[in-house]
Amino acid sequence: MIRKASLEEAKLIYTKNMEIDFPSDEIPDYNRFVKLTEDNVHDVYLYNSDNQDVAYFITVENNNNILITHLAVIKEFRSKGIGKILLEEIKNFFKNKNILIVEVEAESRANNEEELDIINRRKRYYLNLGFAQCKNMSYILYNVDYDILTYSPNNREYEPQEIKKIMEEIYANVGVDKAKLKIEINYK
């Protein structure tokens, strides 16, 4: 079951989990995270299975478009198939939205074969569950390279220019400095 986290639960997720689950350059400043949560700019969700919170994710919504900025199964519950179930639940939870967008570290972020394998497994996870990679787009946020993966509940195909516009609007609403966000369409 997916449910919105309270402010106190969101703070615990940050302090107990996010610092373990994500590289430091992908984690927002704690005070900014709390402010975004308090102001309902982003939403923090918990996924509960067998009366335990086993995963969490953070979304930003704009014009019926959802950006999932962070998603993680809590460390002690990994490798049990929860991620796959969670993503199907998320797709169902947001079935009336236009598009779901996730950011996945780009392969260029890998410093070694092990990191590359983790990045590729993460990407395959989304692709195997119905997401599609947004081709011809380079995307950098706070100097971190990402690939963009999308899922449209109504099976609408989005052009890269539409994805770019959605992302720019979402990050403008979050208050990200335009200089920290670089999205380019690259047709080859």
Side-chain angles (χ1 to χ4, degrees), residues 87-142:
L87 202 53
E88 291 298 338
E89 291 281 336
I90 289 171
K91 288 165 46 179
N92 187 53
F93 190 78
F94 292 116
K95 67 184 175 199
N96 295 321
K97 302 300 180 183
N98 296 330
I99 190 170
L100 302 178
I101 302 169
V102 294
E103 305 163 327
V104 178
E105 299 96 337
E107 291 176 0
S108 61
R109 294 263 334 234
N111 294 315
N112 55 49
E113 287 298 317
E114 181 182 352
E115 289 179 7
L116 181 61
D117 182 57
I118 291 168
I119 289 168
N120 285 328
R121 277 189 290 148
R122 192 171 292 135
K123 193 182 298 183
R124 277 192 310 271
Y125 160 76
Y126 288 105
L127 294 172
N128 289 336
L129 292 169
F131 280 73
Q133 185 165 346
C134 188
K135 302 285 186 189
N136 305 316
M137 180 181 284
S138 64
Y139 173 69
I140 302 170
L141 178 64
Y142 291 108

Side-chain angles (χ1 to χ4, degrees), residues 45-186:
Y45 291 94
L46 287 163
Y47 178 64
N48 188 287
S49 178
D50 296 327
N51 296 316
Q52 291 185 302
D53 292 327
V54 297
Y56 63 93
F57 61 99
I58 302 168
T59 66
V60 180
E61 181 172 355
N62 186 49
N63 295 327
N64 233 18
N65 303 307
I66 303 289
L67 170 64
I68 301 171
T69 63
H70 297 82
L71 182 148
V73 173
I74 295 170
K75 190 172 185 175
E76 58 265 28
F77 300 103
R78 291 183 187 155
S79 300
K80 298 179 181 182
I82 291 170
K84 180 178 179 180
I85 296 167
L86 170 61
L87 202 53
E88 291 298 338
E89 291 281 336
I90 289 171
K91 288 165 46 179
N92 187 53
F93 190 78
F94 292 116
K95 67 184 175 199
N96 295 321
K97 302 300 180 183
N98 296 330
I99 190 170
L100 302 178
I101 302 169
V102 294
E103 305 163 327
V104 178
E105 299 96 337
E107 291 176 0
S108 61
R109 294 263 334 234
N111 294 315
N112 55 49
E113 287 298 317
E114 181 182 352
E115 289 179 7
L116 181 61
D117 182 57
I118 291 168
I119 289 168
N120 285 328
R121 277 189 290 148
R122 192 171 292 135
K123 193 182 298 183
R124 277 192 310 271
Y125 160 76
Y126 288 105
L127 294 172
N128 289 336
L129 292 169
F131 280 73
Q133 185 165 346
C134 188
K135 302 285 186 189
N136 305 316
M137 180 181 284
S138 64
Y139 173 69
I140 302 170
L141 178 64
Y142 291 108
N143 296 316
V144 177
D145 292 347
Y146 292 98
D147 287 330
I148 299 299
L149 300 159
T150 63
Y151 173 79
S152 174
N154 58 15
N155 294 319
R156 179 173 178 257
E157 290 200 22
Y158 286 80
E159 293 295 321
Q161 297 89 338
E162 292 175 286
I163 304 286
K164 178 181 180 188
K165 183 176 184 231
I166 290 168
M167 299 290 289
E168 289 171 339
E169 289 173 354
I170 285 173
Y171 277 113
N173 288 346
V174 173
V176 169
D177 179 351
K178 283 186 176 186
K180 303 292 183 186
L181 176 67
K182 183 178 178 183
I183 305 173
E184 293 182 356
I185 309 298
N186 307 308

Side-chain angles (χ1 to χ4, degrees), residues 5-28:
S6 70
L7 178 59
E8 291 309 310
E9 289 172 320
K11 289 177 181 178
L12 279 172
I13 288 168
Y14 186 100
T15 57
K16 285 181 61 181
N17 302 101
M18 288 186 75
E19 293 172 344
I20 295 168
D21 298 331
F22 296 95
S24 60
D25 59 357
E26 293 181 26
I27 303 172

